[in-house]
């Protein structure tokens, strides 16, 4: 009986990538490009600190961000069921683009605070939505594998993203780090709008 069991290696997700439907791979290209430029939240907090917030206020805006995320997660999920996951995800990434351009181009105390409000809405509009979108375009029998493959690539690229952001920040200043990410997310919005049918 043991011989009948399918062996699953640590790099089995690469095998699924080759066999996956075209729509899945198209979606992955958009999602993973976004991941490559979506650095750790710590960079937003550092920018908030640089704009004049005290340590206590930085902690406060992060708590505020999490509160907004929690408040909007359910209603935005319900709206996504009505308007479609693609539309909701694109709305979320569009908000992310505004946040990163806003933080990159302004040091104003109030602007940075407002960006954290929008950032909470972005998180609510995309967290979980991407995985639900994946599950809708792949075969039901492959749902867990498809999401696991995405998560594997996402984990690798998330580490790279923060390294890239750190290099941009160190060499060209914080504004450049956010503006580059803003442009990258804008192109992801265009890509998903044009190349994903549903």
């Amino acid at each position: 009986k043991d011989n009948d069991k399918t062996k699953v290696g640590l790099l089995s997700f690469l095998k699924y990538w080759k066999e996956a439907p075209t729509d899945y791979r198209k979606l992955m290209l958009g999602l993973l490009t976004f991941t490559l430029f979506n650095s750790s939240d710590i960079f937003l907090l550092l920018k908030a600190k640089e704009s004049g917030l005290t340590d206590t206020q930085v902690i406060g805006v992060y708590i505020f961000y999490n509160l907004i995320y929690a408040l909007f997660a359910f209603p935005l999920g319900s709206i996504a069921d009505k308007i479609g996951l693609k539309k909701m995800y694109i709305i979320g990434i569009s908000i992310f683009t505004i946040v990163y351009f806003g933080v990159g181009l302004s040091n104003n105390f109030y602007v940075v605070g407002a960006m954290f409000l929008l950032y909470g809405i972005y998180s609510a509009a995309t967290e979980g939505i991407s995985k639900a979108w994946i599950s809708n375009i792949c075969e039901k029998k492959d749902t867990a594998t498809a999401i696991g493959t995405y998560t594997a690539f996402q984990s690798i690229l998330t580490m790279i993203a923060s390294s890239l952001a750190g290099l941009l920040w160190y060499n060209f200043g914080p504004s450049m780090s956010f503006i580059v990410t803003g442009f990258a997310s804008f192109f992801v919005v265009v890509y998903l709008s044009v190349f994903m049918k549903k």
Side-chain angles (χ1 to χ4, degrees):
K1 288 184 179 177
D2 289 339
N3 293 333
D4 293 334
K5 291 181 180 177
T6 303
K7 290 185 179 179
V8 179
L10 284 173
L11 298 178
S12 293
F13 66 91
L14 294 173
K15 182 172 181 285
Y16 177 72
W17 175 265
K18 293 176 185 175
E19 301 169 349
T22 303
D23 279 349
Y24 173 81
R25 281 183 286 183
K26 275 194 209 170
L27 177 57
M28 286 301 95
L29 186 58
L31 296 182
L32 295 175
T33 298
F34 175 66
T35 302
L36 182 59
F37 289 92
N38 185 9
S39 56
S40 168
D41 291 347
I42 193 69
F43 290 97
L44 283 170
L45 296 173
L46 286 170
K47 188 62 164 62
K49 173 78 171 167
E50 192 183 69
S51 71
L53 273 68
T54 64
D55 290 344
T56 303
Q57 288 169 331
V58 169
I59 294 167
V61 293
Y62 196 64
I63 292 170
F64 174 63
Y65 148 73
N66 280 285
L67 179 62
I68 295 297
Y69 172 34
L71 289 173
F72 279 84
F74 178 77
L76 289 181
S78 297
I79 293 168
D81 286 334
K82 294 182 177 70
I83 68 172
L85 299 172
K86 173 187 170 180
K87 282 183 183 175
M88 181 54 70
Y89 191 82
I90 286 173
I91 288 168
I93 301 297
S94 298
I95 292 170
F96 177 95
T97 303
I98 292 167
V99 169
Y100 268 67
F101 277 129
V103 172
L105 296 170
S106 177
N107 276 322
N108 184 277
F109 178 96
Y110 297 104
V111 171
V112 172
M115 292 303 104
F116 272 90
L117 183 150
L118 288 177
Y119 194 61
I121 296 172
Y122 140 75
S123 294
T126 56
E127 280 294 326
I129 300 289
S130 55
K131 293 184 175 74
W133 193 359
I134 290 168
S135 67
N136 276 7
I137 64 170
C138 64
E139 293 184 41
K140 285 191 177 178
K141 66 180 179 65
D142 294 327
T143 300
T145 304
I147 293 173
T149 299
Y150 166 57
T151 305
F153 281 118
Q154 186 184 39
S155 300
I156 295 164
L157 293 177
T158 296
M159 289 189 293
I160 297 171
S162 291
S163 299
L164 286 174
L167 283 170
L168 286 169
W169 185 300
Y170 180 76
N171 290 297
F172 304 103
S175 292
M176 182 59 70
S177 178
F178 291 105
I179 289 167
V180 168
T181 298
F183 274 115
S185 59
F186 172 75
F187 283 117
V188 170
V189 167
V190 173
Y191 170 82
L192 293 175
S193 300
V194 172
F195 292 102
M196 292 305 301
K197 295 175 184 174
K198 58 179 183 177

